[in-house]
Amino acid sequence: MSISENLADIKMKISESAKKTNRALDDITLIGVTKTIDTGRISELLDLGVSNLGENRVQELLEKYDVLGERPIWHLIGHLQTNKVKYIVEKVDLIHSVDSIRLAEEINKRCFAIKKVMDILIEVNIAQEESKEGIAPNKVLEFYQELRNFSNIRVKGLMTVAPFVEDAEENRESFSKMRKLLIDIMNEKGNNKDIRLLSMGMTNDYQVAIEEGSNMVRIGTGIFGKR
Ligand SMILES: *Cc1c(COP(=O)(O)O)cnc(C)c1O
């Protein structure tokens, strides 16, 4: 299947799931995950109107940025090492993977220097998997409160990489817990009104994720085929 056929299919499914929860298609942002995909094929996707791209490695993002520049909206979706922050702060629009105060401090410092307020998501290890990055669910509120001290960081919501499962239904409860966590944060006194993003759902489970409140899905394989 071609990129455009795959995309048409995904859009149809996103729209189906959105309808189930009475939401409009344009309430949900599709991020094309382009790790390992060359810039030629990425350009095809951009031409088809998908302008949000997700990369999970800094080096790869930088190489592609050299070619594609600011045409895409860049999302850093993978683990971010503190010593790499300086390379990307000017280039990315949203960092999905903030999972430590040390990392937040570094983002804040680098953004202060270039007079930018960086939009970020808190990564949550929703199923408390040992192998996964992310803040434990019961620590999210406390972590969010600490982040509010940083002038050059704006928390926009939460992100998770749900467990790899055979049947997407197995992740429904995790997605539902994520939505509840988002609501907890939204209800915090004096919070910024910007909090509304729930980045969850990948090729295998994005429909269930949307049904449970996701408004940002990150899809790679479904668009480009197996890596
Ligand atoms: C690779 C990746 C995705 C996309 O996964 P697919 O199963 O290929 O859709 C989404 N989010 C993150 C953080 C990833 O690393």
Side-chain angles (χ1 to χ4, degrees):
M1 289 255 272
S2 67
I3 293 176
S4 84
E5 285 169 316
N6 287 340
L7 185 63
D9 181 60
I10 288 165
K11 279 189 175 165
M12 197 186 70
K13 288 181 175 145
I14 290 176
S15 160
E16 253 172 39
S17 305
K19 255 191 214 132
K20 278 196 191 173
T21 51
N22 288 316
R23 283 183 300 159
L25 181 58
D26 60 5
D27 180 49
I28 293 150
T29 302
L30 167 63
I31 298 178
V33 175
T34 47
K35 60 188 181 206
T36 78
I37 306 298
D38 62 66
T39 50
R41 298 178 76 209
I42 297 174
S43 293
E44 255 187 81
L45 187 64
L46 293 170
D47 288 341
L48 291 165
V50 175
S51 49
N52 287 277
L53 301 185
E55 282 287 338
N56 68 341
R57 291 180 52 237
V58 167
Q59 185 57 37
E60 210 178 319
L61 189 150
L62 294 174
E63 284 165 17
K64 290 169 184 174
Y65 188 94
D66 272 348
V67 180
L68 300 168
E70 297 194 351
R71 201 178 153 211
I73 297 164
W74 295 98
H75 297 254
L76 199 280
I77 59 175
H79 181 63
L80 178 56
Q81 284 173 291
T82 309
N83 62 358
K84 302 261 173 76
V85 169
K86 57 178 175 286
Y87 303 119
I88 58 143
V89 283
E90 266 176 304
K91 301 182 168 74
V92 305
D93 287 87
L94 183 63
I95 299 174
H96 291 230
S97 46
V98 175
D99 62 354
S100 75
I101 291 299
R102 213 166 75 87
L103 175 60
E105 267 167 2
E106 178 67 11
I107 295 170
N108 189 63
K109 184 178 104 186
R110 297 288 175 179
C111 287
F112 181 80
I114 61 166
K115 299 190 168 63
K116 174 174 179 173
V117 177
M118 178 66 80
D119 288 338
I120 66 115
L121 303 178
I122 297 170
E123 180 168 358
V124 183
N125 184 358
I126 195 64
Q128 312 223 52
E129 295 171 278
E130 257 174 48
S131 59
K132 285 252 170 85
E133 317 285 342
I135 303 290
N138 63 349
K139 293 281 187 330
V140 168
L141 206 54
E142 184 187 321
F143 186 68
Y144 164 69
Q145 276 156 349
E146 285 186 70
L147 293 186
R148 291 208 291 188
N149 298 323
F150 295 115
S151 59
N152 291 70
I153 282 180
R154 180 164 46 215
V155 180
K156 299 278 283 188
L158 305 176
M159 175 271 211
T160 197
V161 178
F164 182 79
V165 290
E166 285 296 319
D167 177 0
E169 285 298 331
E170 293 174 57
N171 279 336
R172 189 177 289 279
E173 194 187 331
S174 289
F175 293 140
S176 163
K177 282 184 186 158
M178 285 290 292
R179 191 189 58 231
K180 286 180 189 131
L181 283 175
L182 186 80
I183 291 169
D184 286 348
I185 292 180
M186 289 167 101
N187 288 340
E188 276 295 282
K189 250 212 308 259
N191 84 15
N192 66 57
K193 297 280 187 291
D194 299 309
I195 293 181
R196 52 166 231 95
L197 294 179
L198 207 43
S199 168
M200 59 187 195
M202 310 183 0
T203 296
N204 288 327
D205 56 17
Y206 67 92
Q207 288 194 277
V208 175
I210 292 168
E211 284 163 26
E212 295 302 324
S214 168
N215 50 25
M216 207 168 237
V217 291
R218 310 179 308 266
I219 302 182
T221 310
I223 297 173
F224 296 106
K226 271 218 166 70
R227 283 181 292 272

